[in-house]
Amino acid sequence: MNEAVNASTPDSPAHHLDLEKEIDRLRKDRNAVILAHYYQDPAIQDIADFVGDSLDLSRKAAETDADMIVFCGVRFMGEVAKILSPEKKVVIPDMQAGCSLEESISADDLRAFKAKHPDHLVVTYINSSVEVKAESDYVVTSASAIDIINATPADKPILFVPDRHLGRWLEKVTGREMTLWPGECIVHVEFTTEAIEGLKTKYPDAKIAVHPESPEPVVDMADHVGSTRSIIDYVVKTDAKRFIIGTETHILHQIRKQAPDKELIPLPGSNDTCQCATCPYMALNTMEKLYLALKDERPEIIIDEDLRRRALLPLQRMLDISARAQAKRAAREEAA
Ligand code: 13P
Ligand code: SF4
C-alpha cells in the first residue's frame, strides 16, 4: 500500500503557488472533500471542509457524496474512510503518517492474543490498522467506546487493544474488566501528575480536561476526560475562565476559535527534547502535501476487497450502536 511520500522543497513548483487558492480550485475541480483532525496544523484545519474527532470524521466519510476524500490526519483515518466509502478515491497527504498505537499491534499479534483467550470478544480502538480491525468484533473511538462496551453481552469477557490507558479508563467507567494490550500513545503517555500539580499551584481556579489516552494518575486528576471534540465542547460550555488542556496542542487552535474568551494552558509533555505535546505523525502533513495530494490524486489508500469487508463489520457495528445510543440520549433530553 505504501507509495512515495509527496514532498515540497523551496525549489518545487508548489512552493511558489498561492496554496490556499490552488487547494480551493482543485477541491472544486475534483469534487473533493477535505476532512481534517483537530491535531492538524491550523492552516489545514482552516481550509478543511470538516474538522472533527475520529468518530465525527468516520461519520462524515461514510455520508459524503464527493468523488474524492482527502483525509488530513493519520493513515488509519484514511483507511477508515476507504473502508466506509470504497467507491470513492481516498488520498492522504503523507503515507508515512502512522500512529504509535497502530504500530504496537499487528494482525499476527492479535491472532495470537485471541488464540490465548478464545472465549473473548475483541474490542479494538480505531487507532489500528485495517488488518487488525478485520480480526475484531467491535471498533471503538474514544467518543463511542463507553456505548459500545455497554452494548456487548455482559457475560462475555473482552480483549481490549491496543491502548492500555484508554482501556484502563474504560474499565473504570463501565465497570467491565478487560484484558488489555500494552500499547501507548507516545504523545499522551508523556503527561505527568507533577506537571498538572505545578500548573494548579499557579492557576488554582483552572479546570483540567484530558484525553483518555493519558496515564491513569493524570486521568484521575481531571475534571473532564473525553475525546478531542468532547474537550472542545467542555471548554465552550463550562462556566470557568481557565483550562489546562491535556491532549495534542494543535487542538488549541480550534478551542480558541470556538471559545475566544477562555484562557487555555497546554499541559506540557515530559519528553527531554520537546515539551510541546505534538504528534510527530500528524505533523508530517503540510499545506504543500495537501495541495500535491489533490493535484496528483495520490498517495491513494488501496485496500483489498475481502479485507475491507471484514474490517467494515466491526466498524459498522460501532456506527450503528453509537447512532442508536445518541438518538436515545437526545430523546431523553427532549422529554426532560
Ligand atoms: P479522538 O478520537 O479523540 O479525536 O482521538 C484521536 C487520537 O488520535 C487521539 O490521540
Ligand atoms: Fe497516534 Fe498518539 Fe498521534 Fe493520536 S496523538 S495519532 S494516538 S501517536
Side-chain angles (χ1 to χ4, degrees), residues 15-51:
H15 195 78
H16 303 287
L17 291 168
D18 178 341
L19 287 175
E20 278 175 32
K21 221 168 114 190
E22 282 303 300
I23 289 169
D24 217 29
R25 180 183 68 76
L26 284 165
R27 158 173 42 203
K28 289 184 192 111
D29 194 54
R30 307 275 194 264
N31 187 26
V33 65
I34 303 173
L35 305 181
H37 189 264
Y38 294 123
Y39 294 167
Q40 289 293 282
D41 182 87
I44 295 180
Q45 292 190 40
D46 288 348
I47 206 157
D49 295 289
F50 181 79
V51 191

PDB file of all heavy atoms in Angstrom, residues 15-51:
ATOM      1  N   HIS A  15       5.929  25.396  -4.005  1.00  0.00           N
ATOM      2  CA  HIS A  15       6.410  26.414  -3.082  1.00  0.00           C
ATOM      3  C   HIS A  15       6.055  27.831  -3.539  1.00  0.00           C
ATOM      4  O   HIS A  15       5.938  28.741  -2.741  1.00  0.00           O
ATOM      5  CB  HIS A  15       7.927  26.264  -2.928  1.00  0.00           C
ATOM      6  CG  HIS A  15       8.463  27.007  -1.759  1.00  0.00           C
ATOM      7  ND1 HIS A  15       8.347  26.533  -0.475  1.00  0.00           N
ATOM      8  CD2 HIS A  15       9.083  28.213  -1.677  1.00  0.00           C
ATOM      9  CE1 HIS A  15       8.891  27.408   0.346  1.00  0.00           C
ATOM     10  NE2 HIS A  15       9.343  28.438  -0.348  1.00  0.00           N
ATOM     11  N   HIS A  16       5.898  28.003  -4.860  1.00  0.00           N
ATOM     12  CA  HIS A  16       5.674  29.351  -5.387  1.00  0.00           C
ATOM     13  C   HIS A  16       4.193  29.647  -5.627  1.00  0.00           C
ATOM     14  O   HIS A  16       3.838  30.696  -6.112  1.00  0.00           O
ATOM     15  CB  HIS A  16       6.459  29.520  -6.701  1.00  0.00           C
ATOM     16  CG  HIS A  16       7.919  29.265  -6.509  1.00  0.00           C
ATOM     17  ND1 HIS A  16       8.735  30.146  -5.846  1.00  0.00           N
ATOM     18  CD2 HIS A  16       8.685  28.208  -6.828  1.00  0.00           C
ATOM     19  CE1 HIS A  16       9.963  29.647  -5.793  1.00  0.00           C
ATOM     20  NE2 HIS A  16       9.951  28.473  -6.372  1.00  0.00           N
ATOM     21  N   LEU A  17       3.327  28.727  -5.276  1.00  0.00           N
ATOM     22  CA  LEU A  17       1.905  28.910  -5.548  1.00  0.00           C
ATOM     23  C   LEU A  17       1.184  29.520  -4.361  1.00  0.00           C
ATOM     24  O   LEU A  17       1.638  29.409  -3.226  1.00  0.00           O
ATOM     25  CB  LEU A  17       1.261  27.545  -5.845  1.00  0.00           C
ATOM     26  CG  LEU A  17       1.677  26.874  -7.147  1.00  0.00           C
ATOM     27  CD1 LEU A  17       1.188  25.434  -7.140  1.00  0.00           C
ATOM     28  CD2 LEU A  17       1.082  27.621  -8.334  1.00  0.00           C
ATOM     29  N   ASP A  18       0.029  30.127  -4.629  1.00  0.00           N
ATOM     30  CA  ASP A  18      -0.864  30.534  -3.551  1.00  0.00           C
ATOM     31  C   ASP A  18      -1.622  29.253  -3.175  1.00  0.00           C
ATOM     32  O   ASP A  18      -2.607  28.872  -3.814  1.00  0.00           O
ATOM     33  CB  ASP A  18      -1.820  31.612  -4.060  1.00  0.00           C
ATOM     34  CG  ASP A  18      -2.806  32.039  -2.981  1.00  0.00           C
ATOM     35  OD1 ASP A  18      -2.976  31.271  -2.012  1.00  0.00           O
ATOM     36  OD2 ASP A  18      -3.384  33.117  -3.124  1.00  0.00           O
ATOM     37  N   LEU A  19      -1.102  28.561  -2.156  1.00  0.00           N
ATOM     38  CA  LEU A  19      -1.608  27.212  -1.860  1.00  0.00           C
ATOM     39  C   LEU A  19      -3.095  27.203  -1.514  1.00  0.00           C
ATOM     40  O   LEU A  19      -3.832  26.323  -1.961  1.00  0.00           O
ATOM     41  CB  LEU A  19      -0.788  26.590  -0.723  1.00  0.00           C
ATOM     42  CG  LEU A  19       0.620  26.150  -1.115  1.00  0.00           C
ATOM     43  CD1 LEU A  19       1.383  25.666   0.105  1.00  0.00           C
ATOM     44  CD2 LEU A  19       0.581  25.051  -2.170  1.00  0.00           C
ATOM     45  N   GLU A  20      -3.534  28.209  -0.748  1.00  0.00           N
ATOM     46  CA  GLU A  20      -4.957  28.223  -0.364  1.00  0.00           C
ATOM     47  C   GLU A  20      -5.846  28.301  -1.601  1.00  0.00           C
ATOM     48  O   GLU A  20      -6.836  27.572  -1.715  1.00  0.00           O
ATOM     49  CB  GLU A  20      -5.244  29.422   0.539  1.00  0.00           C
ATOM     50  CG  GLU A  20      -4.865  29.143   1.968  1.00  0.00           C
ATOM     51  CD  GLU A  20      -5.027  30.345   2.857  1.00  0.00           C
ATOM     52  OE1 GLU A  20      -5.942  31.163   2.591  1.00  0.00           O
ATOM     53  OE2 GLU A  20      -4.234  30.481   3.792  1.00  0.00           O
ATOM     54  N   LYS A  21      -5.465  29.193  -2.510  1.00  0.00           N
ATOM     55  CA  LYS A  21      -6.259  29.378  -3.741  1.00  0.00           C
ATOM     56  C   LYS A  21      -6.246  28.108  -4.596  1.00  0.00           C
ATOM     57  O   LYS A  21      -7.273  27.670  -5.107  1.00  0.00           O
ATOM     58  CB  LYS A  21      -5.667  30.547  -4.539  1.00  0.00           C
ATOM     59  CG  LYS A  21      -6.715  31.444  -5.139  1.00  0.00           C
ATOM     60  CD  LYS A  21      -6.097  32.692  -5.655  1.00  0.00           C
ATOM     61  CE  LYS A  21      -6.247  32.721  -7.165  1.00  0.00           C
ATOM     62  NZ  LYS A  21      -5.473  33.773  -7.794  1.00  0.00           N
ATOM     63  N   GLU A  22      -5.062  27.508  -4.711  1.00  0.00           N
ATOM     64  CA  GLU A  22      -4.924  26.305  -5.539  1.00  0.00           C
ATOM     65  C   GLU A  22      -5.677  25.115  -4.935  1.00  0.00           C
ATOM     66  O   GLU A  22      -6.321  24.340  -5.650  1.00  0.00           O
ATOM     67  CB  GLU A  22      -3.436  25.950  -5.710  1.00  0.00           C
ATOM     68  CG  GLU A  22      -2.718  26.811  -6.721  1.00  0.00           C
ATOM     69  CD  GLU A  22      -3.381  26.754  -8.099  1.00  0.00           C
ATOM     70  OE1 GLU A  22      -3.470  25.666  -8.683  1.00  0.00           O
ATOM     71  OE2 GLU A  22      -3.829  27.809  -8.583  1.00  0.00           O
ATOM     72  N   ILE A  23      -5.596  24.991  -3.614  1.00  0.00           N
ATOM     73  CA  ILE A  23      -6.318  23.887  -2.943  1.00  0.00           C
ATOM     74  C   ILE A  23      -7.813  24.056  -3.166  1.00  0.00           C
ATOM     75  O   ILE A  23      -8.539  23.107  -3.472  1.00  0.00           O
ATOM     76  CB  ILE A  23      -5.954  23.832  -1.438  1.00  0.00           C
ATOM     77  CG1 ILE A  23      -4.513  23.349  -1.266  1.00  0.00           C
ATOM     78  CG2 ILE A  23      -6.921  22.942  -0.657  1.00  0.00           C
ATOM     79  CD1 ILE A  23      -3.935  23.501   0.132  1.00  0.00           C
ATOM     80  N   ASP A  24      -8.266  25.283  -3.064  1.00  0.00           N
ATOM     81  CA  ASP A  24      -9.685  25.575  -3.254  1.00  0.00           C
ATOM     82  C   ASP A  24     -10.130  25.260  -4.686  1.00  0.00           C
ATOM     83  O   ASP A  24     -11.182  24.655  -4.906  1.00  0.00           O
ATOM     84  CB  ASP A  24      -9.918  27.050  -2.937  1.00  0.00           C
ATOM     85  CG  ASP A  24     -11.233  27.228  -2.244  1.00  0.00           C
ATOM     86  OD1 ASP A  24     -11.661  26.285  -1.550  1.00  0.00           O
ATOM     87  OD2 ASP A  24     -11.844  28.295  -2.423  1.00  0.00           O
ATOM     88  N   ARG A  25      -9.292  25.658  -5.651  1.00  0.00           N
ATOM     89  CA  ARG A  25      -9.622  25.409  -7.062  1.00  0.00           C
ATOM     90  C   ARG A  25      -9.673  23.902  -7.337  1.00  0.00           C
ATOM     91  O   ARG A  25     -10.619  23.385  -7.926  1.00  0.00           O
ATOM     92  CB  ARG A  25      -8.555  26.073  -7.943  1.00  0.00           C
ATOM     93  CG  ARG A  25      -8.781  25.901  -9.439  1.00  0.00           C
ATOM     94  CD  ARG A  25      -7.663  26.505 -10.257  1.00  0.00           C
ATOM     95  NE  ARG A  25      -6.381  25.819 -10.134  1.00  0.00           N
ATOM     96  CZ  ARG A  25      -6.072  24.669 -10.712  1.00  0.00           C
ATOM     97  NH1 ARG A  25      -6.965  24.033 -11.449  1.00  0.00           N
ATOM     98  NH2 ARG A  25      -4.881  24.105 -10.541  1.00  0.00           N
ATOM     99  N   LEU A  26      -8.652  23.179  -6.848  1.00  0.00           N
ATOM    100  CA  LEU A  26      -8.586  21.732  -7.104  1.00  0.00           C
ATOM    101  C   LEU A  26      -9.714  20.980  -6.398  1.00  0.00           C
ATOM    102  O   LEU A  26     -10.249  20.010  -6.924  1.00  0.00           O
ATOM    103  CB  LEU A  26      -7.233  21.189  -6.628  1.00  0.00           C
ATOM    104  CG  LEU A  26      -6.047  21.512  -7.533  1.00  0.00           C
ATOM    105  CD1 LEU A  26      -4.733  21.255  -6.801  1.00  0.00           C
ATOM    106  CD2 LEU A  26      -6.110  20.679  -8.809  1.00  0.00           C
ATOM    107  N   ARG A  27     -10.064  21.444  -5.200  1.00  0.00           N
ATOM    108  CA  ARG A  27     -11.153  20.784  -4.455  1.00  0.00           C
ATOM    109  C   ARG A  27     -12.440  20.807  -5.273  1.00  0.00           C
ATOM    110  O   ARG A  27     -13.149  19.816  -5.380  1.00  0.00           O
ATOM    111  CB  ARG A  27     -11.319  21.488  -3.111  1.00  0.00           C
ATOM    112  CG  ARG A  27     -12.666  21.298  -2.476  1.00  0.00           C
ATOM    113  CD  ARG A  27     -12.796  21.851  -1.089  1.00  0.00           C
ATOM    114  NE  ARG A  27     -12.200  23.143  -0.850  1.00  0.00           N
ATOM    115  CZ  ARG A  27     -11.827  23.568   0.354  1.00  0.00           C
ATOM    116  NH1 ARG A  27     -11.976  22.788   1.394  1.00  0.00           N
ATOM    117  NH2 ARG A  27     -11.312  24.762   0.517  1.00  0.00           N
ATOM    118  N   LYS A  28     -12.723  21.975  -5.899  1.00  0.00           N
ATOM    119  CA  LYS A  28     -13.950  22.092  -6.732  1.00  0.00           C
ATOM    120  C   LYS A  28     -13.797  21.249  -7.997  1.00  0.00           C
ATOM    121  O   LYS A  28     -14.707  20.504  -8.374  1.00  0.00           O
ATOM    122  CB  LYS A  28     -14.182  23.555  -7.101  1.00  0.00           C
ATOM    123  CG  LYS A  28     -14.621  24.374  -5.891  1.00  0.00           C
ATOM    124  CD  LYS A  28     -14.943  25.808  -6.271  1.00  0.00           C
ATOM    125  CE  LYS A  28     -15.076  26.659  -5.018  1.00  0.00           C
ATOM    126  NZ  LYS A  28     -14.002  27.644  -4.845  1.00  0.00           N
ATOM    127  N   ASP A  29     -12.652  21.372  -8.623  1.00  0.00           N
ATOM    128  CA  ASP A  29     -12.374  20.667  -9.870  1.00  0.00           C
ATOM    129  C   ASP A  29     -12.512  19.152  -9.710  1.00  0.00           C
ATOM    130  O   ASP A  29     -13.043  18.453 -10.571  1.00  0.00           O
ATOM    131  CB  ASP A  29     -10.932  21.027 -10.278  1.00  0.00           C
ATOM    132  CG  ASP A  29     -10.656  20.634 -11.685  1.00  0.00           C
ATOM    133  OD1 ASP A  29     -11.434  21.060 -12.555  1.00  0.00           O
ATOM    134  OD2 ASP A  29      -9.679  19.875 -11.912  1.00  0.00           O
ATOM    135  N   ARG A  30     -12.035  18.623  -8.609  1.00  0.00           N
ATOM    136  CA  ARG A  30     -12.037  17.166  -8.370  1.00  0.00           C
ATOM    137  C   ARG A  30     -13.302  16.680  -7.666  1.00  0.00           C
ATOM    138  O   ARG A  30     -13.424  15.506  -7.371  1.00  0.00           O
ATOM    139  CB  ARG A  30     -10.847  16.765  -7.479  1.00  0.00           C
ATOM    140  CG  ARG A  30      -9.477  17.227  -7.941  1.00  0.00           C
ATOM    141  CD  ARG A  30      -8.911  16.241  -8.953  1.00  0.00           C
ATOM    142  NE  ARG A  30      -7.505  16.439  -9.171  1.00  0.00           N
ATOM    143  CZ  ARG A  30      -6.994  17.162 -10.189  1.00  0.00           C
ATOM    144  NH1 ARG A  30      -7.794  17.762 -11.036  1.00  0.00           N
ATOM    145  NH2 ARG A  30      -5.691  17.279 -10.346  1.00  0.00           N
ATOM    146  N   ASN A  31     -14.196  17.618  -7.321  1.00  0.00           N
ATOM    147  CA  ASN A  31     -15.339  17.313  -6.446  1.00  0.00           C
ATOM    148  C   ASN A  31     -14.855  16.536  -5.212  1.00  0.00           C
ATOM    149  O   ASN A  31     -15.305  15.432  -4.911  1.00  0.00           O
ATOM    150  CB  ASN A  31     -16.434  16.532  -7.185  1.00  0.00           C
ATOM    151  CG  ASN A  31     -17.689  16.380  -6.322  1.00  0.00           C
ATOM    152  OD1 ASN A  31     -17.948  17.194  -5.428  1.00  0.00           O
ATOM    153  ND2 ASN A  31     -18.457  15.320  -6.553  1.00  0.00           N
ATOM    154  N   ALA A  32     -13.887  17.159  -4.535  1.00  0.00           N
ATOM    155  CA  ALA A  32     -13.262  16.503  -3.373  1.00  0.00           C
ATOM    156  C   ALA A  32     -13.725  17.154  -2.079  1.00  0.00           C
ATOM    157  O   ALA A  32     -14.100  18.332  -2.054  1.00  0.00           O
ATOM    158  CB  ALA A  32     -11.740  16.625  -3.478  1.00  0.00           C
ATOM    159  N   VAL A  33     -13.717  16.362  -1.015  1.00  0.00           N
ATOM    160  CA  VAL A  33     -13.996  16.906   0.311  1.00  0.00           C
ATOM    161  C   VAL A  33     -12.713  16.745   1.141  1.00  0.00           C
ATOM    162  O   VAL A  33     -12.055  15.703   1.069  1.00  0.00           O
ATOM    163  CB  VAL A  33     -15.224  16.210   0.967  1.00  0.00           C
ATOM    164  CG1 VAL A  33     -14.962  14.733   1.233  1.00  0.00           C
ATOM    165  CG2 VAL A  33     -15.632  16.886   2.258  1.00  0.00           C
ATOM    166  N   ILE A  34     -12.364  17.797   1.888  1.00  0.00           N
ATOM    167  CA  ILE A  34     -11.159  17.736   2.726  1.00  0.00           C
ATOM    168  C   ILE A  34     -11.600  17.563   4.178  1.00  0.00           C
ATOM    169  O   ILE A  34     -12.305  18.408   4.730  1.00  0.00           O
ATOM    170  CB  ILE A  34     -10.304  19.021   2.580  1.00  0.00           C
ATOM    171  CG1 ILE A  34      -9.917  19.233   1.107  1.00  0.00           C
ATOM    172  CG2 ILE A  34      -9.055  18.954   3.473  1.00  0.00           C
ATOM    173  CD1 ILE A  34      -9.220  20.554   0.817  1.00  0.00           C
ATOM    174  N   LEU A  35     -11.203  16.439   4.771  1.00  0.00           N
ATOM    175  CA  LEU A  35     -11.524  16.163   6.175  1.00  0.00           C
ATOM    176  C   LEU A  35     -10.242  16.307   6.994  1.00  0.00           C
ATOM    177  O   LEU A  35      -9.176  15.863   6.573  1.00  0.00           O
ATOM    178  CB  LEU A  35     -12.065  14.733   6.339  1.00  0.00           C
ATOM    179  CG  LEU A  35     -13.268  14.341   5.469  1.00  0.00           C
ATOM    180  CD1 LEU A  35     -13.700  12.900   5.776  1.00  0.00           C
ATOM    181  CD2 LEU A  35     -14.438  15.289   5.688  1.00  0.00           C
ATOM    182  N   ALA A  36     -10.335  16.933   8.164  1.00  0.00           N
ATOM    183  CA  ALA A  36      -9.123  17.130   8.969  1.00  0.00           C
ATOM    184  C   ALA A  36      -9.388  16.841  10.444  1.00  0.00           C
ATOM    185  O   ALA A  36     -10.468  17.128  10.966  1.00  0.00           O
ATOM    186  CB  ALA A  36      -8.609  18.562   8.815  1.00  0.00           C
ATOM    187  N   HIS A  37      -8.383  16.270  11.093  1.00  0.00           N
ATOM    188  CA  HIS A  37      -8.466  16.030  12.532  1.00  0.00           C
ATOM    189  C   HIS A  37      -8.006  17.283  13.286  1.00  0.00           C
ATOM    190  O   HIS A  37      -7.260  18.095  12.750  1.00  0.00           O
ATOM    191  CB  HIS A  37      -7.598  14.816  12.915  1.00  0.00           C
ATOM    192  CG  HIS A  37      -7.807  14.373  14.332  1.00  0.00           C
ATOM    193  ND1 HIS A  37      -6.987  14.790  15.363  1.00  0.00           N
ATOM    194  CD2 HIS A  37      -8.769  13.596  14.897  1.00  0.00           C
ATOM    195  CE1 HIS A  37      -7.430  14.259  16.490  1.00  0.00           C
ATOM    196  NE2 HIS A  37      -8.504  13.532  16.239  1.00  0.00           N
ATOM    197  N   TYR A  38      -8.473  17.412  14.534  1.00  0.00           N
ATOM    198  CA  TYR A  38      -8.125  18.584  15.355  1.00  0.00           C
ATOM    199  C   TYR A  38      -6.627  18.704  15.645  1.00  0.00           C
ATOM    200  O   TYR A  38      -6.192  19.733  16.144  1.00  0.00           O
ATOM    201  CB  TYR A  38      -8.847  18.526  16.698  1.00  0.00           C
ATOM    202  CG  TYR A  38     -10.349  18.647  16.612  1.00  0.00           C
ATOM    203  CD1 TYR A  38     -11.179  17.655  17.137  1.00  0.00           C
ATOM    204  CD2 TYR A  38     -10.947  19.761  16.037  1.00  0.00           C
ATOM    205  CE1 TYR A  38     -12.562  17.768  17.094  1.00  0.00           C
ATOM    206  CE2 TYR A  38     -12.335  19.880  15.980  1.00  0.00           C
ATOM    207  CZ  TYR A  38     -13.129  18.880  16.513  1.00  0.00           C
ATOM    208  OH  TYR A  38     -14.491  18.993  16.456  1.00  0.00           O
ATOM    209  N   TYR A  39      -5.855  17.650  15.403  1.00  0.00           N
ATOM    210  CA  TYR A  39      -4.409  17.708  15.665  1.00  0.00           C
ATOM    211  C   TYR A  39      -3.619  18.228  14.461  1.00  0.00           C
ATOM    212  O   TYR A  39      -2.385  18.219  14.484  1.00  0.00           O
ATOM    213  CB  TYR A  39      -3.871  16.310  16.016  1.00  0.00           C
ATOM    214  CG  TYR A  39      -4.367  15.705  17.310  1.00  0.00           C
ATOM    215  CD1 TYR A  39      -4.148  14.356  17.586  1.00  0.00           C
ATOM    216  CD2 TYR A  39      -5.033  16.452  18.268  1.00  0.00           C
ATOM    217  CE1 TYR A  39      -4.582  13.775  18.771  1.00  0.00           C
ATOM    218  CE2 TYR A  39      -5.480  15.870  19.444  1.00  0.00           C
ATOM    219  CZ  TYR A  39      -5.261  14.530  19.683  1.00  0.00           C
ATOM    220  OH  TYR A  39      -5.690  13.954  20.850  1.00  0.00           O
ATOM    221  N   GLN A  40      -4.332  18.649  13.420  1.00  0.00           N
ATOM    222  CA  GLN A  40      -3.625  19.137  12.227  1.00  0.00           C
ATOM    223  C   GLN A  40      -3.195  20.592  12.392  1.00  0.00           C
ATOM    224  O   GLN A  40      -3.762  21.344  13.198  1.00  0.00           O
ATOM    225  CB  GLN A  40      -4.537  18.997  11.009  1.00  0.00           C
ATOM    226  CG  GLN A  40      -4.743  17.552  10.588  1.00  0.00           C
ATOM    227  CD  GLN A  40      -3.469  16.920  10.057  1.00  0.00           C
ATOM    228  OE1 GLN A  40      -3.075  17.136   8.939  1.00  0.00           O
ATOM    229  NE2 GLN A  40      -2.809  16.111  10.893  1.00  0.00           N
ATOM    230  N   ASP A  41      -2.212  20.960  11.588  1.00  0.00           N
ATOM    231  CA  ASP A  41      -1.736  22.328  11.537  1.00  0.00           C
ATOM    232  C   ASP A  41      -2.937  23.285  11.355  1.00  0.00           C
ATOM    233  O   ASP A  41      -3.845  22.972  10.601  1.00  0.00           O
ATOM    234  CB  ASP A  41      -0.787  22.412  10.324  1.00  0.00           C
ATOM    235  CG  ASP A  41      -0.178  23.767  10.186  1.00  0.00           C
ATOM    236  OD1 ASP A  41       0.868  23.989  10.811  1.00  0.00           O
ATOM    237  OD2 ASP A  41      -0.758  24.604   9.442  1.00  0.00           O
ATOM    238  N   PRO A  42      -2.948  24.448  12.029  1.00  0.00           N
ATOM    239  CA  PRO A  42      -4.081  25.377  11.918  1.00  0.00           C
ATOM    240  C   PRO A  42      -4.468  25.726  10.474  1.00  0.00           C
ATOM    241  O   PRO A  42      -5.656  25.815  10.155  1.00  0.00           O
ATOM    242  CB  PRO A  42      -3.594  26.622  12.666  1.00  0.00           C
ATOM    243  CG  PRO A  42      -2.663  26.087  13.698  1.00  0.00           C
ATOM    244  CD  PRO A  42      -1.990  24.904  13.064  1.00  0.00           C
ATOM    245  N   ALA A  43      -3.482  25.894   9.592  1.00  0.00           N
ATOM    246  CA  ALA A  43      -3.816  26.246   8.198  1.00  0.00           C
ATOM    247  C   ALA A  43      -4.629  25.126   7.545  1.00  0.00           C
ATOM    248  O   ALA A  43      -5.559  25.387   6.773  1.00  0.00           O
ATOM    249  CB  ALA A  43      -2.530  26.486   7.409  1.00  0.00           C
ATOM    250  N   ILE A  44      -4.311  23.870   7.871  1.00  0.00           N
ATOM    251  CA  ILE A  44      -5.058  22.736   7.303  1.00  0.00           C
ATOM    252  C   ILE A  44      -6.463  22.686   7.914  1.00  0.00           C
ATOM    253  O   ILE A  44      -7.451  22.473   7.214  1.00  0.00           O
ATOM    254  CB  ILE A  44      -4.286  21.406   7.525  1.00  0.00           C
ATOM    255  CG1 ILE A  44      -2.965  21.430   6.738  1.00  0.00           C
ATOM    256  CG2 ILE A  44      -5.135  20.212   7.119  1.00  0.00           C
ATOM    257  CD1 ILE A  44      -2.114  20.174   6.873  1.00  0.00           C
ATOM    258  N   GLN A  45      -6.545  22.898   9.231  1.00  0.00           N
ATOM    259  CA  GLN A  45      -7.874  22.924   9.865  1.00  0.00           C
ATOM    260  C   GLN A  45      -8.759  23.988   9.215  1.00  0.00           C
ATOM    261  O   GLN A  45      -9.941  23.766   8.963  1.00  0.00           O
ATOM    262  CB  GLN A  45      -7.747  23.228  11.359  1.00  0.00           C
ATOM    263  CG  GLN A  45      -7.096  22.123  12.170  1.00  0.00           C
ATOM    264  CD  GLN A  45      -7.224  22.371  13.666  1.00  0.00           C
ATOM    265  OE1 GLN A  45      -8.250  22.813  14.176  1.00  0.00           O
ATOM    266  NE2 GLN A  45      -6.163  22.071  14.414  1.00  0.00           N
ATOM    267  N   ASP A  46      -8.153  25.162   8.936  1.00  0.00           N
ATOM    268  CA  ASP A  46      -8.951  26.276   8.421  1.00  0.00           C
ATOM    269  C   ASP A  46      -9.416  26.064   6.986  1.00  0.00           C
ATOM    270  O   ASP A  46     -10.461  26.586   6.592  1.00  0.00           O
ATOM    271  CB  ASP A  46      -8.165  27.589   8.529  1.00  0.00           C
ATOM    272  CG  ASP A  46      -8.062  28.056   9.981  1.00  0.00           C
ATOM    273  OD1 ASP A  46      -8.787  27.491  10.832  1.00  0.00           O
ATOM    274  OD2 ASP A  46      -7.259  28.961  10.271  1.00  0.00           O
ATOM    275  N   ILE A  47      -8.669  25.304   6.200  1.00  0.00           N
ATOM    276  CA  ILE A  47      -9.072  25.118   4.796  1.00  0.00           C
ATOM    277  C   ILE A  47      -9.960  23.879   4.614  1.00  0.00           C
ATOM    278  O   ILE A  47     -10.604  23.706   3.584  1.00  0.00           O
ATOM    279  CB  ILE A  47      -7.840  25.054   3.866  1.00  0.00           C
ATOM    280  CG1 ILE A  47      -8.257  25.518   2.459  1.00  0.00           C
ATOM    281  CG2 ILE A  47      -7.185  23.680   3.837  1.00  0.00           C
ATOM    282  CD1 ILE A  47      -7.147  26.020   1.623  1.00  0.00           C
ATOM    283  N   ALA A  48     -10.027  23.031   5.649  1.00  0.00           N
ATOM    284  CA  ALA A  48     -10.802  21.780   5.531  1.00  0.00           C
ATOM    285  C   ALA A  48     -12.300  22.072   5.436  1.00  0.00           C
ATOM    286  O   ALA A  48     -12.784  23.083   5.942  1.00  0.00           O
ATOM    287  CB  ALA A  48     -10.520  20.894   6.739  1.00  0.00           C
ATOM    288  N   ASP A  49     -13.032  21.148   4.789  1.00  0.00           N
ATOM    289  CA  ASP A  49     -14.493  21.270   4.748  1.00  0.00           C
ATOM    290  C   ASP A  49     -15.093  20.856   6.075  1.00  0.00           C
ATOM    291  O   ASP A  49     -16.168  21.296   6.455  1.00  0.00           O
ATOM    292  CB  ASP A  49     -15.060  20.345   3.656  1.00  0.00           C
ATOM    293  CG  ASP A  49     -14.608  20.770   2.290  1.00  0.00           C
ATOM    294  OD1 ASP A  49     -15.083  21.807   1.827  1.00  0.00           O
ATOM    295  OD2 ASP A  49     -13.727  20.095   1.709  1.00  0.00           O
ATOM    296  N   PHE A  50     -14.393  19.964   6.773  1.00  0.00           N
ATOM    297  CA  PHE A  50     -14.908  19.489   8.057  1.00  0.00           C
ATOM    298  C   PHE A  50     -13.736  19.112   8.964  1.00  0.00           C
ATOM    299  O   PHE A  50     -12.795  18.461   8.520  1.00  0.00           O
ATOM    300  CB  PHE A  50     -15.807  18.259   7.829  1.00  0.00           C
ATOM    301  CG  PHE A  50     -16.401  17.723   9.095  1.00  0.00           C
ATOM    302  CD1 PHE A  50     -17.503  18.348   9.678  1.00  0.00           C
ATOM    303  CD2 PHE A  50     -15.845  16.620   9.730  1.00  0.00           C
ATOM    304  CE1 PHE A  50     -18.037  17.870  10.870  1.00  0.00           C
ATOM    305  CE2 PHE A  50     -16.381  16.138  10.917  1.00  0.00           C
ATOM    306  CZ  PHE A  50     -17.472  16.762  11.487  1.00  0.00           C
ATOM    307  N   VAL A  51     -13.801  19.555  10.220  1.00  0.00           N
ATOM    308  CA  VAL A  51     -12.769  19.212  11.207  1.00  0.00           C
ATOM    309  C   VAL A  51     -13.479  18.459  12.333  1.00  0.00           C
ATOM    310  O   VAL A  51     -14.569  18.864  12.760  1.00  0.00           O
ATOM    311  CB  VAL A  51     -12.103  20.487  11.801  1.00  0.00           C
ATOM    312  CG1 VAL A  51     -10.873  20.122  12.614  1.00  0.00           C
ATOM    313  CG2 VAL A  51     -11.729  21.466  10.712  1.00  0.00           C
TER     314      VAL A  51
END
